Amino acid sequence: MAEIQLIEAPAPHQQPPDYTRLNDLACSKVGGCIVFASDDWFAEAENLLKPNIPEWKEGVFTEYGKWMDGWETRRKRIPGHDWAIIQLGVSGVIFGVDVDTSFFTGNYTPRISIQAANLKKKFPSRNGKPGKAATEAEYKKIAALNSENWETIVPISELKPGYKTSFHNFFRVKRQQLWTHLRLNMFPDGGIARLRVYGQAKRDWSLVDKDTVVDLVAMVNGGVCLGSSNAHFGHPRNLVAPGTGENMGDGWETARRLDRPAVLTADKSGVLQVPGCEWAVFRLGCPGVVKEITLDTRHFKGNFPDSCRIEACNIPLSGEQQALSVMSGPPWKTLLLPQKMTPNREHHYKDEVQTIGTISHIRLFVAPDGGVSRMRIWGLKEDVALASKL
Ligand SMILES: NC(=O)NC(NC(N)=O)C(=O)[O-]
């Protein structure tokens, strides 16, 4: 198998805010839904939570106006402002949001604020449609939530319009507590393409039996991506999303390495000589002992990695920053030796998993580059005290 060399991640100034490597807790893919929207005239609020990046359809109009991929309310001719209630798909701690205004230019929302609550109740999702405004009965029902008094996690802030270079509006969230619902306020009206809510799911590990094998890195169990060498086509956070990948965009896909040889060669035993690799690091939702591993290359047919391997370590959260910045040094141990990959298939490992005791972090290497759809790290929880800290 080819020798693995580590490469440096891009310089910090080239990257979006650090919290964007976390999981989108509001995405419809993980069950996020709209509970209420004051107005859906041009485009329904459900679009805010779609997993794909927003689209523009030149010259496409509906009976209500220009087709837009986002939530767009009508120009207000009555007092008040527009707002929506979002139920997170996975409740958790929010570290930052992206209010994406892609393609909303003369119709973008100039100001927003976001409020949050931790509610016991779960609400059914509605079926928002363009051309509608909330009815008296809907307003009456939602009033019981008293959402105008929820905690403010993003104060009234200005947005930039969605011209090509300036469609992300990032806001860091400082109040790090558990939230289940958000209220997005538009001041006064307009359009927003997507709302990304970056955070970490909070699982109550005291409810998980010590003999139950769980996916320790799953986003629903609190697993998060901490960084990667390359996320050109698809972010590694997708590896820990629930279910199977929908398409190639719903996985981790790197760019083709530029140092690949002009002509590929194999050694005497037929092993391909492919230099270099790419990597992604994850913190498990709870430290534990790994029993089995699944790597799924679904949808990656002409671009699956030649091989994958996994390293792991057991470090306290307080030492995470320091330990992870020394990318090649200890305390990493081999959890899964290099495994040859095949296209569009789930690869399951049991006997191949090395016995290395409790681990808290893993890093997946793909050599030399390519795409993986999902990664499951099946194991038993170990140190509950550490997992409950953030
Ligand atoms: N051309 C527009 O986009 N106009 C309107 N919006 C849509 N979607 O038609 C508006 O007034 O904001």
Side-chain angles (χ1 to χ4, degrees):
M1 204 65 58
E3 199 192 317
I4 279 166
Q5 296 155 11
L6 290 162
I7 62 152
E8 289 301 316
H13 70 272
Q14 294 171 335
Q15 293 179 334
D18 55 353
Y19 54 77
T20 59
R21 64 196 173 192
L22 302 176
N23 305 304
D24 182 359
L25 304 177
C27 184
S28 59
K29 190 170 77 177
V30 299
C33 68
I34 302 295
V35 175
F36 172 88
S38 54
D39 188 292
D40 294 280
W41 185 265
F42 290 112
E44 69 274 24
E46 275 71 9
N47 290 331
L48 289 170
L49 313 182
K50 281 182 176 172
N52 61 318
I53 58 166
E55 283 177 62
W56 170 257
K57 291 187 183 173
E58 187 59 41
V60 176
F61 293 84
T62 70
E63 63 178 295
Y64 306 106
K66 171 73 189 74
W67 182 92
M68 295 299 293
D69 191 4
W71 176 34
E72 188 187 351
T73 67
R74 74 191 90 180
R75 299 184 189 206
K76 261 207 166 332
R77 303 297 185 237
I78 51 170
H81 72 275
D82 286 314
W83 53 282
I85 301 287
I86 295 148
Q87 182 163 270
L88 299 180
V90 181
S91 50
V93 179
I94 299 168
F95 290 83
V97 298
D98 177 12
V99 185
D100 178 334
T101 52
S102 291
F103 306 116
F104 287 94
T105 55
N107 51 352
Y108 81 103
T109 298
R111 272 164 243 99
I112 56 104
S113 75
I114 301 178
Q115 296 166 278
N118 183 0
L119 307 179
K120 295 233 155 38
K121 196 172 153 84
K122 268 212 146 199
F123 299 89
S125 63
R126 41 154 239 167
N127 186 15
K129 284 200 173 58
K132 277 187 60 187
T135 62
E136 279 300 308
E138 284 168 331
Y139 268 111
K140 230 175 166 174
K141 227 167 138 189
I142 210 74
L145 292 184
N146 199 18
S147 61
E148 63 277 17
N149 293 322
W150 289 358
E151 292 279 349
T152 297
I153 60 166
V154 178
I156 297 179
S157 309
E158 298 219 341
L159 299 183
K160 296 184 299 289
Y163 293 106
K164 263 202 174 144
T165 51
S166 58
F167 46 85
H168 292 296
N169 295 272
F170 293 114
F171 302 101
R172 191 172 287 279
V173 172
K174 291 195 186 102
R175 283 192 77 105
Q176 288 173 3
Q177 57 192 79
L178 182 71
W179 304 117
T180 59
H181 292 77
L182 300 181
R183 172 173 162 142
L184 172 62
N185 298 295
M186 284 179 165
F187 298 110
D189 55 25
I192 297 169
R194 297 286 186 271
L195 177 68
R196 302 288 182 218
V197 180
Y198 293 107
Q200 182 178 15
K202 194 100 169 83
R203 174 138 196 203
D204 184 352
W205 286 94
S206 65
L207 301 177
V208 179
D209 195 89
K210 67 178 179 24
D211 300 319
T212 304
V213 171
V214 287
D215 179 3
L216 297 168
V217 79
M219 76 80 87
V220 293
N221 290 333
V224 287
C225 176
L226 297 179
S228 68
S229 58
N230 189 300
H232 189 88
F233 291 115
H235 197 279
R237 77 170 92 78
N238 293 329
L239 290 172
V240 298
T244 51
E246 242 180 74
N247 50 39
M248 239 169 60
D250 184 12
W252 175 36
E253 187 189 353
T254 73
R256 294 180 190 220
R257 284 182 68 89
L258 296 175
D259 59 358
R260 61 197 192 280
V263 180
L264 297 186
T265 53
D267 67 10
K268 276 188 205 130
S269 51
V271 176
L272 204 62
Q273 301 298 288
V274 279
C277 68
E278 306 289 358
W279 51 263
V281 177
F282 294 83
R283 182 201 301 150
L284 305 183
C286 176
V289 176
V290 180
K291 298 291 176 194
E292 297 176 32
I293 293 172
T294 307
L295 292 173
D296 187 359
T297 56
R298 179 183 292 248
H299 306 300
F300 294 97
K301 299 171 187 168
N303 47 359
F304 61 97
D306 177 63
S307 70
C308 287
R309 73 177 178 101
I310 298 177
E311 291 182 343
C313 65
N314 189 15
I315 49 173
L317 284 187
S318 55
E320 186 178 72
Q321 245 7 64
Q322 206 186 356
L324 298 181
S325 63
V326 189
M327 294 307 296
S328 54
W332 294 103
K333 292 180 190 165
T334 298
L335 179 65
L336 182 70
L337 286 161
Q339 303 292 324
K340 192 86 179 154
M341 289 286 113
T342 56
N344 196 31
R345 191 172 74 81
E346 216 172 76
H347 302 74
H348 198 71
Y349 307 106
K350 191 171 180 184
D351 298 340
E352 298 87 343
V353 176
Q354 309 294 298
T355 309
I356 56 170
T358 301
I359 60 156
S360 59
H361 293 71
I362 61 122
R363 59 180 179 184
L364 169 66
F365 291 85
V366 294
D369 54 27
V372 180
S373 184
R374 290 289 186 271
M375 169 179 66
R376 306 286 177 224
I377 304 290
W378 304 105
L380 303 174
K381 68 168 186 178
E382 190 80 359
D383 186 351
V384 174
L386 179 62
S388 63
K389 287 187 217 148
L390 277 166

